[in-house]
Amino acid sequence: LLVTVPSDSLRNQIAGKFFNLGLLKQFGVVGEKSLYPIVGIIKNKFESTEEVTEFLEKCNVVVSTMSWLTNQNNETQELFSKTFSHIFIDEAHHVKASSWNEFRNKFDKEKVIQFTATPFRNDGKRLDGKIISNFPLKKAQEQGYYKKIEFISIREYEKEKADQEIAKVAVERLRSDLADPNPHNHILMARCATKERAKEIFKLYKVHKDLN
């Protein structure tokens, strides 16, 4: 099994789950006496195709980032597509990026399983493939994975004033949560459309030095 992820932190996190099979033994999905898989984590470059082959032959599961995989030459990519019975693509909403898509297409379609919590992209492109499991937000809320969302409305139609008002109300709410008798260790997040916009908005929040 080849597992691809978009970042180094996820690479380590996902590999850790395979080391001990996560919750599978606890839930009886695999037997208590089942052996744990040999997990390989790829971070660095191999010196030769022979070295890659030797590494892959020793593993049941290999975890790496898509950026590492897409930076390999065609021969190495073809070796991966022939070696693995299946490929799991985590954060699969990125797969429409040309380099991701090109690598995925080296595998037979029935070998590819994609996972994502955000299947809707800003560019409108849809993920292809058949949906075999879907867990809607409504069910997640019903089962307590998400708490009730409180929407705070702000009416201000001048862009600059609106930004200031949103920041003011957001910081007030954060301070209120932190001052609670049972303080909530919250983080305030401002979501922006572009990096330039994020830099503009950051100026409104960085003045609160005690919240750094």
Side-chain angles (χ1 to χ4, degrees), residues 19-85:
F19 283 134
N20 59 20
L21 294 178
L23 297 169
L24 297 183
K25 288 199 176 188
Q26 184 182 324
F27 290 154
V29 177
V30 299
E32 192 57 43
K33 294 182 180 178
S34 297
L35 298 177
Y36 293 105
I38 298 170
V39 183
I41 305 173
I42 299 180
K43 294 186 176 184
N44 302 315
K45 186 178 179 182
F46 290 95
E47 295 302 320
S48 65
T49 306
E50 290 72 29
E51 196 176 306
V52 182
T53 305
E54 185 183 354
F55 177 84
L56 298 184
E57 285 175 350
K58 292 177 180 176
C59 303
N60 304 122
V61 178
V62 169
V63 184
S64 192
T65 59
M66 191 61 98
S67 61
W68 187 94
L69 292 160
T70 55
N71 280 327
Q72 304 312 300
N73 58 37
N74 190 61
E75 184 185 4
T76 302
Q77 290 189 14
E78 290 291 345
L79 174 62
F80 273 74
S81 69
K82 288 171 184 170
T83 300
F84 294 99
S85 66

Side-chain angles (χ1 to χ4, degrees), residues 79-118:
L79 174 62
F80 273 74
S81 69
K82 288 171 184 170
T83 300
F84 294 99
S85 66
H86 290 83
I87 175 173
F88 286 0
I89 301 176
D90 194 27
E91 303 288 343
H93 48 280
H94 294 298
V95 86
K96 284 299 176 183
S98 57
S99 57
W100 283 50
N101 202 33
E102 190 178 328
F103 180 74
R104 184 198 60 174
N105 288 340
K106 292 183 184 295
F107 293 80
D108 297 332
K109 286 183 179 178
E110 63 272 15
K111 289 184 174 184
V112 181
I113 299 180
Q114 302 179 140
F115 299 84
T116 179
T118 50

Side-chain angles (χ1 to χ4, degrees), residues 155-205:
R155 287 181 180 273
E156 176 53 68
Y157 301 102
E158 213 174 303
K159 181 180 167 186
E160 193 172 320
K161 287 183 181 176
D163 289 340
Q164 291 170 350
E165 188 62 20
I166 291 168
K168 177 188 165 193
V169 172
V171 169
E172 282 174 358
R173 184 56 189 267
L174 179 60
R175 290 192 186 283
S176 167
D177 280 353
L178 294 173
D180 192 277
N182 297 311
H184 305 288
N185 187 22
H186 285 175
I187 292 173
L188 191 149
M189 181 173 74
R191 184 169 185 238
C192 305
T194 64
K195 286 182 182 179
E196 290 68 31
R197 182 90 174 105
K199 287 173 184 174
E200 281 176 32
I201 296 301
F202 180 64
K203 292 173 186 175
L204 300 176
Y205 293 91

